[in-house]
Amino acid sequence: MSKSQTSPQIPPKYLQEDEISDECKKLLLTLPKERGWLASHIYNYQGFWATSRIIQGVIACQQQFQAQDSDIILVTTLKSRTTWLKTLLFGLVNRVKHSIFEQNHPLLIKNPHDLVPYLELTLYVDGQVLNFSSITTPRLLSTHLPFASLPKSIKDLNTKLVYLCRNSRDTFISMWHFTNNLKLDHKDINSIGKVFDLFCNGVSLYGPFWNHVLDYWKASIEKPNKVIFLMYEEIKEQPKIQIKHLAEFLECPFSIKEENCGVVDEILRICSFENLSNLEVNTNGKLSSGEENKVFFRKGKVGDWKNYFTIEMNEKLNHIIEQKFEGSGLRF
Ligand code: PAP
């Protein structure tokens, strides 16, 4: 994100370290912490890493969020192309209410993160939980929470979970750019080497990355009607097949008539990086949390890691991936 020339920017709430409750402050004192990435520290809570403000949001969400059977929750590790799958899901699930050929389709005038809010970030950190009660069903929500830390009702009910992950190298590069851009004063920009070591040690927002992926992979095998596990690169290779598969999982398959009318193609076109990143709302708009929408649209390419990784970094990550995913049946 380029620093605004005109108005000073306020960091998103999940980075602000004030307004932490006394109870949460006490908890933070007991948690392992690390410097780097964002904020002054990130903390390890329930086995994953997050900022103090996110942890406060997670606790509220775990205590208060009541899932519904019809809810659809998109789960991602940070920077797995969440923005993109939010739009695909929105277009897919709401296609009866909003024809994808509608001139003023919500996807063309609103940012994907306003259409599909983050549970622990938008609803419980930004405090938009009150507006949320008016969302019609099926409710489309998203989260970065690891499987073990999901609110209990999500696990207990028939709520569907759509999990998306992406090549760890591209995820890491995207995360590195994103977190540096969030350092609004552009001081203390993280060097790639420093955060790469943290990432390899499992210290990244909502990480360890491998645990996050593996836990949802296992859940998708144990409960295939509840959890679908998607990889960005596979969808990119066969978008039509994969989106139809997703529609079947969500029990809203495309009819032959819809296919013949080009509904699938149009959803894919509207949700493409080229289309979304050029929309007025995404170039000049802001989220209700204050973040500029354009920070969610960087390159949108597969394999950008090759522009940054040294041979040593690649070998190190290969070795870790082999170790972590060995025997899982997951090809990464
Ligand atoms: P989040 O997890 O913080 O919500 P997320 O959407 O995963 O965000 O991260 C943004 C990434 O998705 C960026 O990837 P890049 O850094 O490798 O470029 C962004 O460019 C990409 N992205 C956003 N929208 C799309 C889209 N419609 N198609 C493909 N990629 C997209």
Side-chain angles (χ1 to χ4, degrees), residues 12-28:
K13 276 199 180 160
Y14 62 83
L15 287 187
Q16 294 173 18
E17 295 178 285
D18 50 4
E19 291 182 40
I20 299 288
S21 69
D22 288 344
E23 203 185 335
C24 189
K25 277 185 196 154
K26 264 192 220 155
L27 170 73
L28 293 175

Side-chain angles (χ1 to χ4, degrees), residues 121-190:
L121 297 174
T122 323
L123 301 182
Y124 290 95
V125 171
D126 292 346
Q128 291 181 32
V129 76
L130 290 175
N131 310 338
F132 171 62
S133 51
S134 59
I135 295 184
T136 51
T137 54
R139 300 185 304 183
L140 265 181
L141 299 162
S142 76
T143 182
H144 287 313
L145 282 173
F147 188 74
S149 294
L150 288 173
K152 190 170 177 306
S153 60
I154 295 183
K155 291 195 230 176
D156 290 349
L157 297 182
N158 292 327
T159 310
K160 299 255 189 201
L161 298 176
V162 177
Y163 187 77
L164 176 72
C165 74
R166 173 190 183 198
N167 176 311
S168 56
R169 296 167 187 80
D170 278 339
T171 306
F172 166 74
I173 291 297
S174 191
M175 216 186 274
W176 175 57
H177 280 289
F178 186 76
T179 50
N180 274 346
N181 283 336
L182 282 175
K183 289 175 176 258
L184 303 176
D185 53 7
H186 287 232
K187 281 185 202 151
D188 305 325
I189 296 285
N190 290 311

Side-chain angles (χ1 to χ4, degrees), residues 76-84 86-87 113 118 144 166 170 173-175 177-178 232 236 271-274 276 295-301 304:
T76 51
T77 58
L78 200 75
K79 300 293 141 200
S80 295
R81 297 278 150 99
T82 320
T83 312
W84 175 69
K86 280 187 177 187
T87 59
H113 297 281
Y118 273 113
H144 287 313
R166 173 190 183 198
D170 278 339
I173 291 297
S174 191
M175 216 186 274
H177 280 289
F178 186 76
Y232 173 72
K236 190 83 186 153
C271 299
S272 67
F273 183 84
E274 292 66 32
L276 291 179
V295 301
F296 296 99
F297 301 90
R298 193 181 64 90
K299 271 196 178 169
K301 295 262 180 284
D304 191 35

Side-chain angles (χ1 to χ4, degrees), residues 26-57:
K26 264 192 220 155
L27 170 73
L28 293 175
L29 289 174
T30 68
L31 300 179
K33 62 180 179 180
E34 288 276 356
R35 281 184 183 278
W37 289 111
L38 285 165
S40 61
H41 289 98
I42 56 173
Y43 298 83
N44 191 296
Y45 176 65
Q46 297 182 338
F48 70 94
W49 294 93
T51 64
S52 51
R53 197 63 182 269
I54 293 178
I55 291 173
Q56 183 163 286

